[in-house]
Amino acid sequence: MDVIIRRFRMEDYDRVIELWQACDLPLKPKGRDSREEISRQLRRPEIIFLVAEVGGRVIGTVLASHDGRKGWINRLAVDPGYRGQGLARKLVRLAEQELEKEGLQMFAALIEEDNLPSIKLFEKLGYVYHPEIKYFTRKSSPDI
Ligand SMILES: CC(C)(COP(=O)(O)OP(=O)(O)OC[C@H]1O[C@@H](n2cnc3c(N)ncnc32)[C@H](O)[C@@H]1OP(=O)(O)O)[C@@H](O)C(=O)NCCC(=O)NCCS
């Protein structure tokens, strides 16, 4: 598979949303996944948004970010037709390398408990599971 991995560009937006829908990722089209929000996020230096492309078509994404202490792996998605070929592994490793360039030495991912492929993937990549941690959020509005 001839894959190019490159930075996300705004012209990828529609295809990326389509991909995230095909991958059943939770979407907030009026909130943090809106075109305006993604464009705003891209201007932040701590956001590293990579896409994988085959024959000009985006088939994978990873959006890494960091808070200065820890790197976060988000929005990892591979088109169902291209799974099982090591693409997610490649995307995660490249995202980690980009975070390392920013001085990060610890990486983390939040995974829903029934998402077995992702759990297996992160275990395979050496991530340690923390059953003792509970995840809390607070939103300024439900669409965010
Ligand atoms: C999870 C996902 C990104 C994996 O993509 P992928 O390109 O198929 O994964 P890879 O081929 O790189 O797999 C790497 C390793 O992950 C594990 N893995 C991946 N998919 C798996 C599955 N369905 N079942 C069990 N293990 C799996 C394997 O250990 C695999 O290594 P191996 O092939 O040497 O056994 C893909 O299934 C996906 O897009 N899922 C929907 C979106 C999602 O849930 N994203 C994660 C949010 S945190």
Side-chain angles (χ1 to χ4, degrees):
M1 187 167 54
D2 239 350
V3 186
I4 295 168
I5 296 178
R6 59 164 174 82
R7 293 276 177 154
F8 170 90
R9 301 189 284 257
M10 271 323 286
E11 53 264 39
D12 299 320
Y13 177 82
D14 289 332
R15 168 61 191 146
V16 164
I17 294 296
E18 194 184 291
L19 175 68
W20 288 350
Q21 280 167 335
C23 291
D24 289 328
L25 285 182
L27 268 188
K28 292 290 176 189
K30 293 184 190 156
R32 57 190 187 272
D33 297 319
S34 71
R35 195 181 292 273
E36 296 67 32
E37 253 305 297
I38 295 280
S39 167
R40 186 193 64 77
Q41 292 162 29
L42 275 188
R43 294 196 292 275
R44 305 282 317 171
E46 69 278 17
I47 300 282
I48 299 157
F49 193 172
L50 304 178
V51 299
E53 188 186 286
V54 167
R57 183 162 183 264
V58 171
I59 56 154
T61 61
V62 65
L63 196 161
S65 63
H66 71 84
D67 52 24
R69 288 168 61 84
K70 216 179 270 179
W72 291 94
I73 306 294
N74 292 305
R75 301 274 107 179
L76 178 64
V78 171
D79 184 300
Y82 292 87
R83 290 186 187 162
Q85 300 178 60
L87 185 52
R89 175 199 301 265
K90 195 178 280 183
L91 285 165
V92 173
R93 291 304 189 214
L94 282 172
E96 290 172 349
Q97 282 169 26
E98 292 299 316
L99 289 164
E100 274 168 352
K101 287 183 198 162
E102 301 298 316
L104 281 301
Q105 300 181 63
M106 178 174 177
F107 313 108
L110 295 167
I111 305 170
E112 285 170 351
E113 64 180 355
D114 59 351
N115 190 343
L116 287 182
S118 296
I119 290 170
K120 292 279 176 208
L121 170 88
F122 281 98
E123 277 174 357
K124 187 88 182 234
L125 296 184
Y127 284 65
V128 176
Y129 170 52
H130 288 273
E132 75 282 11
I133 292 177
K134 303 278 184 211
Y135 176 56
F136 290 81
T137 64
R138 193 178 78 79
K139 297 180 180 183
S140 53
S141 80
D143 285 339
I144 295 303

